[in-house]
Amino acid sequence: VRKHFEDPESCPTGMQFFINRQEIANGREGSQWLPGSESMDLESYVGGLSHRIEQKEFGFFVNDFQAHSQSAWIKTRAFFYNLFRRAGIPPVPIVLILFVSLYSQSPFGVHKDSADVFSLVVRGQKRMRVWPFQAMFHHARGRIVSPRECYNLDLFDYSRELEQSLLLVGDVGDVLYWPSSYWHIAEG
């Protein structure tokens, strides 16, 4: 990741860092949290960052990662080419979002996105709790939300909603999928 952002001016505006669910930096100010030259691999970076912030939970996200990594875009394009040949081209854009995290829950709470999600697990295990649109709609506080709209419920205690949810679990190399109409939260 560092090689794509050597110059802080080239850091994407869609980059965000969270520690214990609090956003501490975004855009170019986030360059201080990028892997340093000593972080040659993901394990070193996660271990070093975890030590630096005293073992607190963290999340590092880069929106539109395809604009910063040609190799990631080429590999993703090949995956989607084969999928779209079979299923057709979707009416929404394709974007890559890089997530590097070590937390018990995603810092956004239960939310939904405007596009379908494919999540490739590259380290550890990924657990996503998902709900069909209607199951969590009542939490939208009267706001009309369409199944294709981004919306954050700011909901972290969803224990009463577990019965209607589905837990997706992926290990290294697995791809998890949920449609844009599904509410979701990462659980570790």
Side-chain angles (χ1 to χ4, degrees), residues 29-116:
E29 68 189 39
S31 65
Q32 66 176 313
W33 299 98
L34 289 170
S37 57
E38 72 282 354
S39 299
M40 299 307 290
D41 60 24
L42 189 57
E43 295 293 327
S44 299
Y45 171 65
V46 170
L49 182 58
S50 183
H51 178 73
R52 180 176 167 195
I53 62 172
E54 301 171 349
Q55 310 300 317
K56 296 174 184 156
E57 295 187 350
F58 73 89
F60 158 47
F61 314 107
V62 179
N63 291 305
D64 295 321
F65 189 62
Q66 73 279 2
H68 306 284
S69 174
Q70 182 178 13
S71 64
W73 177 244
I74 289 170
K75 290 174 184 173
T76 304
R77 188 176 63 186
F79 169 79
F80 284 113
Y81 174 79
N82 289 321
L83 176 66
F84 296 161
R85 276 188 26 208
R86 290 175 176 79
I89 298 174
V92 295
I94 303 299
V95 295
L96 301 182
I97 303 173
L98 173 68
F99 287 85
V100 177
S101 58
L102 191 59
Y103 50 58
S104 57
Q105 287 184 328
S106 54
F108 316 116
V110 176
H111 64 284
K112 57 179 298 319
D113 299 316
S114 60
D116 294 358

Side-chain angles (χ1 to χ4, degrees), residues 42-43 121-127 169-174 188:
L42 189 57
E43 295 293 327
V121 182
V122 296
R123 177 186 182 267
Q125 186 179 74
K126 183 76 170 180
R127 297 167 49 92
V169 180
D171 293 309
V172 174
D174 290 343

Side-chain angles (χ1 to χ4, degrees), residues 107-186:
F108 316 116
V110 176
H111 64 284
K112 57 179 298 319
D113 299 316
S114 60
D116 294 358
V117 177
F118 291 86
S119 180
L120 171 64
V121 182
V122 296
R123 177 186 182 267
Q125 186 179 74
K126 183 76 170 180
R127 297 167 49 92
M128 295 298 299
R129 176 85 47 192
V130 300
W131 293 263
F133 181 72
Q134 291 300 330
M136 299 294 271
F137 180 74
H138 63 281
H139 286 287
R141 298 178 197 93
R143 184 171 182 269
I144 297 175
V145 179
S146 81
R148 279 243 183 250
E149 183 180 358
C150 285
Y151 193 78
N152 189 338
L153 295 174
D154 291 321
L155 179 66
F156 293 96
D157 180 9
Y158 46 86
S159 55
R160 294 182 186 167
E161 311 293 347
L162 289 177
E163 193 173 297
Q164 299 181 66
S165 72
L166 176 66
L167 180 62
L168 307 177
V169 180
D171 293 309
V172 174
D174 290 343
V175 176
L176 304 178
Y177 167 80
W178 58 94
S180 64
S181 61
Y182 272 54
W183 303 92
H184 56 277
I185 188 169

